[in-house]
Amino acid sequence: MPMMASSSFLSFFLTLISFFFLSSSCCTFTISNYCPHTIWPGTLAGAGTPQLSTTGFQLDSGQSVKLATVPGWSGRIWARTGCTFDASGIGKCQTGDCGGRLECDGNGSAPPTSLFEITLGKGDDKDFYDVSIVDGYNLPIVAVPRGVYGTCNATGCASDINIGCPKELQVVGGDEQQGGVIGCKSACEAFGLDQYCCSGEFANPTTCQPSFYSSIFKRACPKAYSYAFDDGTSIFTCKAYEYDIVFCPNGNGIKKSESPLTAPSIQKSNNRDVEQVVSSSNNLLSLPLPILLFVFILIFSVYLAAL
């Protein structure tokens, strides 16, 4: 009997360990709105990977939403602003619009839009991720990975580029924004020249160099992609079990609200923590999985010793 009990416990233990390893291979995106106004996040899966459970939704100030994904998922996440939709989800947004629908359903974002881009690794393969303002900018965004194995780099663009956007790149809003700048175009979109679009004879890293305009973006947000070949300082790797994607990390006047989509409300006191994460390139956000494994091994050892 003791031997049978031991075998049963060992089988249960190995199943439990496998469960935790399998769980750790999946990843969750926690999307949070620190802006003092409503945003409408959108998601788009890359070729060969499934769309997330939602491809577009409303997120009021102070709300956060968790979206589960699968190993190997590739895609991008962004936020739309100034949206109006009817009961059937048809409408438009001032920035980041994705085909005039609440659910983007495979449509990408209309520039200018700040983008979070990622390809998740399968198994032990690392994730590759970045924040891109190559297609222009509409909102501050930071991405904070919670690493499985150790140190992971936060990245993003916490600065409000709209404030200092050159006049020739500005997107100006309507009455709701009091005529303010709601987006900053890329030079490629504004002028359509090969030298700004890294196309034609400029379609390689040797001939396509930082421009006056991309340098403005880079100075404001050193860790974000500012032009097509800005790989060296802008793409990061990690093995993470969760990515916190925060819009307007320095936002003030957050209003708490609840909806069926909402995870626990964002606490305003966390703003400084996010700012510190953005300013540092060595932030350790570790998964408690090793601790759990240690506890299970300890319990199993005690159990064997008692037989």
Side-chain angles (χ1 to χ4, degrees):
M1 281 299 283
M3 183 61 69
M4 290 180 62
S6 177
S7 298
S8 298
F9 186 88
L10 179 60
S11 177
F12 170 77
F13 178 77
L14 292 176
T15 300
L16 201 56
I17 293 296
S18 298
F19 168 79
F20 276 102
F21 273 117
L22 287 172
S23 296
S24 71
S25 68
C26 297
C27 188
T28 300
F29 299 130
T30 300
I31 304 172
S32 302
N33 179 13
Y34 277 43
C35 304
H37 54 79
T38 299
I39 61 174
W40 289 260
T43 72
L44 175 66
T49 61
Q51 298 293 347
L52 299 180
S53 58
T54 177
T55 59
F57 54 94
Q58 179 175 319
L59 194 63
D60 292 334
S61 180
Q63 289 185 335
S64 62
V65 168
K66 290 184 180 291
L67 298 179
T69 186
V70 296
W73 190 85
S74 176
R76 50 179 50 180
I77 296 171
W78 69 96
R80 296 165 286 174
T81 64
C83 300
T84 55
F85 296 106
D86 62 21
S88 63
I90 305 298
K92 62 180 180 179
C93 301
Q94 290 183 320
T95 69
D97 195 67
C98 59
R101 302 182 62 87
L102 176 60
E103 289 269 358
C104 295
D105 292 329
N107 293 314
S109 59
T113 316
S114 315
L115 299 170
F116 170 67
E117 304 175 312
I118 190 167
T119 297
L120 296 173
K122 294 182 178 180
D124 292 330
D125 294 340
K126 289 187 175 181
D127 311 332
F128 288 81
Y129 60 98
D130 66 81
V131 164
S132 173
I133 46 180
V134 173
D135 292 335
Y137 167 100
N138 68 335
L139 284 176
I141 175 177
V142 297
V144 185
R146 301 184 181 275
V148 173
Y149 303 123
T151 302
C152 286
N153 289 316
T155 187
C157 183
S159 300
D160 188 353
I161 293 180
N162 290 335
I163 294 175
C165 181
K167 188 171 182 61
E168 58 270 32
L169 304 184
Q170 292 179 1
V171 176
V172 179
D175 294 338
E176 184 179 343
Q177 302 289 336
Q178 288 79 48
V181 178
I182 58 173
C184 192
K185 297 179 183 179
S186 67
C188 175
E189 183 191 359
F191 309 120
L193 300 177
D194 287 350
Q195 68 186 81
Y196 295 133
C197 299
C198 291
S199 57
E201 63 178 302
F202 296 94
N204 65 76
T206 301
T207 56
C208 189
Q209 296 294 310
S211 69
F212 165 76
Y213 294 104
S214 69
S215 296
I216 293 175
F217 286 10
K218 196 65 176 178
R219 284 195 298 271
C221 300
K223 299 172 78 173
Y225 259 100
S226 60
Y227 75 105
F229 296 108
D230 192 15
D231 296 25
T233 59
S234 307
I235 193 163
F236 299 92
T237 60
C238 176
K239 189 61 181 177
Y241 66 97
E242 183 174 7
Y243 284 85
D244 291 325
I245 304 163
V246 182
F247 292 97
C248 305
N250 302 322
N252 295 313
I254 295 174
K255 296 177 289 185
K256 293 182 180 180
S257 54
E258 303 295 335
S259 81
L261 280 173
T262 309
S265 297
I266 304 167
Q267 298 300 314
K268 188 174 179 181
S269 61
N270 288 343
N271 287 358
R272 180 167 297 180
D273 296 337
V274 175
E275 292 173 31
Q276 291 171 346
V277 163
V278 174
S279 65
S280 172
S281 63
N282 293 304
N283 294 284
L284 180 60
L285 295 167
S286 58
L287 176 71
L289 179 61
I291 298 175
L292 292 171
L293 292 179
F294 174 77
V295 170
F296 284 126
I297 291 171
L298 181 63
I299 293 171
F300 184 57
S301 299
V302 171
Y303 177 82
L304 290 179
L307 292 178

